[in-house]
Amino acid sequence: EKETLESVLTMKQQDTRKALTNELHRVEEEIKRHYANQKAEGTRLQQQVTQLKNDKTALEKDIIRIQNV
């Protein structure tokens, strides 16, 4: 009976270890995906900031040009 209990507990331990390993892998993949999305979003926002700065500079030049007319 003791051996049967040990065997059952060992199997449960192995099942639990496998389930936790699978869950860890799933979570790691999800984190990688979210990180990639955040990185892409950061790049996109940086491009928008650069474009806005360029637009601002162009508008400032237009204002100066108009004022000098």
Side-chain angles (χ1 to χ4, degrees):
E1 183 178 320
K2 181 180 177 182
E3 289 175 1
T4 303
L5 180 59
E6 286 177 352
S7 176
V8 168
L9 289 175
T10 299
M11 287 179 7
K12 285 189 177 282
Q13 178 189 22
Q14 290 170 348
D15 289 345
T16 302
R17 184 181 307 268
K18 183 177 179 182
L20 288 174
T21 300
N22 290 340
E23 179 68 8
L24 177 62
H25 179 70
R26 186 191 66 75
V27 169
E28 286 173 340
E29 291 300 314
E30 187 173 342
I31 288 171
K32 287 178 187 176
R33 190 178 78 250
H34 285 294
Y35 177 78
N37 287 341
Q38 286 295 314
K39 187 174 180 180
E41 179 71 4
T43 300
R44 185 182 68 77
L45 289 172
Q46 186 58 49
Q47 289 170 344
Q48 286 181 342
V49 167
T50 300
Q51 184 60 49
L52 288 170
K53 286 180 180 180
N54 291 339
D55 292 348
K56 177 182 171 254
T57 301
L59 288 170
E60 286 172 341
K61 287 180 181 179
D62 287 344
I63 290 171
I64 291 170
R65 183 180 49 78
I66 291 171
Q67 288 174 342
N68 290 332
V69 170

